[in-house]
């Protein structure tokens, strides 16, 4: 066993980017889950993502295999047995949830986003704002990944200002609600079974949540074409034209944007974890390339400037991962605040941009080929940098917290 493995409690399978052995903080059972997911990603996802990314197609055949990993329900204390029955277990720690997001994004940010939308945004909305009956009705099927979820908040004319600018309306008629409006950038929407739609109640002006079947009359999802990032993710523009939703499918605990924001606070940290994963994936690809590529009669890795790039990348990864570990500890202790997740997302995604740029530079001309992985990480980083709160908006969230003054407008 290596000296590093001995120091980290026998963690001899740590990732190249985990210099300070943060993964060793996981329990033995948690590490077993992470390693199982890592093996699946290496054997079944990594070999196909470049091809699917280039063609902007989602690998639907992987959903069944994802379900067999039994990780979708873990944050909500749900586990699927071999017989398909869902049983209640101890909810996963935020540290485990974070490392799983990292693992997915380390191989492909699109796959991580697909899973984050389903598990974090859609399931999270039901878990945080649904009634006990609604949680029993929807979460087991979603934990089995028999019903895939989507989350429809952003609109064509409203992104960062969605709290005040949300234009999709909900009008109550007896025991039903009628939804009208448009949504944009909705991941998974073209094939989702359940879509959490946020709409403004025309009666009281408050934002409420509704669970809408993907095949509901009046619901149309059109794929957004020509993206340069997260090309595997099936983002869609949604049209809601008189979509009728039973009162029983209105999320009982979602009575205003504060409730929506509680969901976003949880998933914002997930995107920061994914950003660490993207950094690691780009770093590993660049490191591998540098040890294989010959220039001027020796390996790239033997040049001082190349080593400088690699060490700076590793430093950004290490500081970002350390920040995320501490955030997870705050979340597990129940003392995290909105500005914690906002600072993490703003800081880590900024560092991610620098890391993927260094990786692309290290590969030279080969860095623009999708075949070498780095180009995919480089492009996908732009999407992670922007969604779940831009750097500017998250900066203002933190700025308000530390000064006591809001500066959004």
């Amino acid at each position: 066993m290596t000296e590093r493995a001995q120091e980290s409690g026998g963690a001899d399978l740590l990732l190249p980017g985990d210099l300070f052995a943060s993964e060793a903080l996981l329990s033995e059972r948690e590490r077993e889950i992470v390693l199982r997911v890592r093996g699946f990603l290496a054997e079944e996802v990594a070999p196909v993502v470049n091809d699917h990314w280039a063609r902007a197609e989602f690998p639907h055949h992987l959903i069944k295999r994802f379900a067999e990993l039994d990780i979708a329900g873990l944050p909500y204390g749900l586990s699927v047995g071999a017989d398909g029955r869902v049983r209640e277990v101890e909810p996963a720690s935020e540290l485990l949830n974070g490392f799983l997001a990292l693992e997915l994004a380390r191989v492909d940010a699109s796959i991580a986003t697909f899973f984050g939308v389903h598990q974090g945004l859609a399931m999270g909305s039901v878990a945080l704002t649904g009634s006990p009956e609604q949680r029993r009705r929807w979460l087991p099927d979603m934990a089995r990944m028999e019903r895939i979820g989507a989350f429809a908040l952003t609109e064509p004319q409203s992104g960062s200002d969605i709290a005040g600018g949300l234009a999709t309306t909900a009008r109550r008629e007896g025991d039903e609600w009628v939804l009208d409006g448009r949504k944009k950038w909705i991941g998974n929407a073209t094939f989702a079974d359940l879509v959490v739609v946020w709409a403004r109640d025309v009666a009281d002006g408050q934002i409420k949540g509704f669970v809408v079947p993907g095949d509901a009359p009046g619901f149309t999802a059109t794929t957004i074409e020509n993206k340069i990032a997260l090309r595997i993710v099936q983002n869609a523009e949604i049209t809601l034209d008189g979509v009728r939703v039973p009162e029983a499918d209105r999320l009982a605990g979602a009575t205003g944007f504060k409730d929506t924001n509680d969901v976003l606070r949880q998933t914002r940290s997930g995107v920061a974890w994914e950003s660490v994963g993207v950094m690691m994936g780009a770093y590993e690809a660049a490191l591998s390339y540098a040890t294989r590529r010959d220039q001027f009669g020796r390996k790239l890795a033997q040049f001082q400037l190349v080593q400088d790039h690699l060490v700076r990348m590793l430093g950004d990864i290490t500081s970002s991962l350390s920040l995320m570990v501490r955030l997870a500890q705050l979340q597990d202790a129940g003392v995290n605040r909105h500005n914690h997740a906002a600072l993490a997302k703003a800081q880590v995604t900024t560092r991610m941009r620098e890391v993927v740029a260094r990786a692309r530079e290290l590969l030279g001309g080969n860095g623009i080929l999708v075949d070498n992985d780095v180009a995919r990480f480089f492009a996908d980083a732009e999407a992670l940098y922007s969604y779940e709160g831009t750097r500017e908006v998250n900066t203002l969230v933190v700025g308000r917290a530390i000064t006591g003054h809001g500066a959004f407008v």
Side-chain angles (χ1 to χ4, degrees), residues 94-379:
E94 289 299 330
L95 191 63
L96 174 58
N97 294 332
F99 269 101
L100 289 174
L102 181 157
E103 286 291 337
L104 294 171
R106 173 181 154 266
V107 173
D108 184 65
S110 291
I111 296 298
T113 300
F114 152 74
F115 193 73
V117 169
H118 170 71
Q119 181 201 62
L121 288 169
M123 293 184 71
S125 296
V126 175
L128 289 174
T129 68
S131 67
E133 184 277 329
Q134 289 172 330
R135 292 195 292 270
R136 288 192 299 269
R137 178 156 43 112
W138 288 315
L139 288 180
D141 283 350
M142 298 177 84
R144 284 187 288 260
M145 298 186 73
E146 292 177 351
R147 303 175 86 178
I148 299 299
F151 179 93
L153 176 63
T154 304
E155 299 182 349
Q157 302 302 323
S158 294
S160 297
D161 65 342
I162 195 68
L166 191 145
T168 298
T169 60
R171 182 181 71 259
R172 184 156 186 178
E173 293 186 357
D175 291 333
E176 290 185 322
W177 293 80
V178 182
L179 306 184
D180 290 287
R182 295 166 62 202
K183 300 291 183 178
K184 192 171 184 179
W185 298 114
I186 312 307
N188 303 352
T190 59
F191 60 90
D193 302 288
L194 301 172
V195 182
V196 177
V197 175
W198 300 92
R200 192 178 302 278
D201 184 351
V202 298
D204 62 12
Q206 294 299 312
I207 295 175
K208 295 179 169 63
F210 303 85
V211 177
V212 179
D215 60 357
F219 179 97
T220 305
T222 305
T223 302
I224 296 174
E225 305 285 355
N226 303 321
K227 296 186 300 176
I228 68 164
L230 298 183
R231 288 172 55 79
I232 290 175
V233 176
Q234 298 304 297
N235 292 102
E237 183 163 347
I238 291 174
T239 300
L240 300 147
D241 185 8
V243 175
R244 292 187 170 271
V245 182
E247 164 64 10
D249 291 354
R250 178 182 64 82
L251 291 170
T255 58
F257 188 75
K258 176 184 179 299
D259 303 305
T260 317
N261 210 25
D262 285 341
V263 178
L264 296 176
R265 175 174 61 176
Q266 297 300 317
T267 57
R268 187 166 290 138
S269 63
V271 176
W273 275 102
E274 290 172 11
S275 299
V276 178
V278 167
M279 289 190 229
M280 282 194 176
Y283 168 75
E284 290 178 25
L287 178 61
S288 175
Y289 184 87
T291 58
R292 291 182 286 108
R293 175 74 167 177
D294 291 316
Q295 290 284 277
F296 299 101
R298 53 180 170 164
K299 300 297 182 187
L300 273 181
Q302 294 178 268
F303 290 92
Q304 290 182 356
L305 291 178
V306 170
Q307 290 193 5
D308 179 64
H309 276 311
L310 291 170
V311 173
R312 286 173 181 262
M313 292 164 69
L314 184 58
D316 283 338
I317 293 168
T318 301
S319 61
S320 297
L321 179 56
S322 299
L323 187 158
M324 295 313 303
V325 167
R326 182 54 183 154
L327 176 59
Q329 292 171 338
L330 294 176
Q331 291 173 317
D332 282 328
V335 296
N336 64 299
R337 298 189 299 273
H338 282 290
N339 54 300
H340 290 141
L343 181 60
K345 205 277 180 174
Q347 180 71 9
V348 172
T349 55
T350 300
R351 298 283 78 77
M352 171 189 61
R353 252 183 160 188
E354 295 180 5
V355 168
V356 298
R358 289 186 184 279
R360 201 227 61 76
E361 183 176 348
L362 191 151
L363 267 68
N366 287 330
I368 68 171
L369 292 174
V370 176
D371 295 349
N372 292 316
D373 295 328
V374 168
R376 174 166 48 83
F377 288 118
F378 180 83

Side-chain angles (χ1 to χ4, degrees), residues 35-52:
L35 292 176
R36 185 172 74 246
V37 172
R38 186 177 299 167
F40 161 72
L41 293 168
E43 295 169 11
E44 302 190 38
V45 178
V48 304
V49 288
N50 282 339
D51 178 58
H52 281 77

Side-chain angles (χ1 to χ4, degrees), residues 1 4-6 8-16 18 21-39 71 74 92-93 95-97 99-100 103:
M1 187 180 292
R4 180 184 173 208
Q6 290 174 340
S8 59
D12 54 336
L13 296 176
L14 291 171
L15 298 172
D18 189 6
S22 294
E23 187 181 308
L25 296 171
L26 295 169
S27 69
E28 183 177 351
R29 174 184 169 275
E30 290 173 330
R31 285 211 72 222
E32 288 175 354
I33 295 172
V34 169
L35 292 176
R36 185 172 74 246
V37 172
R38 186 177 299 167
I71 57 175
L74 292 184
S93 69
L95 191 63
L96 174 58
N97 294 332
F99 269 101
L100 289 174
E103 286 291 337

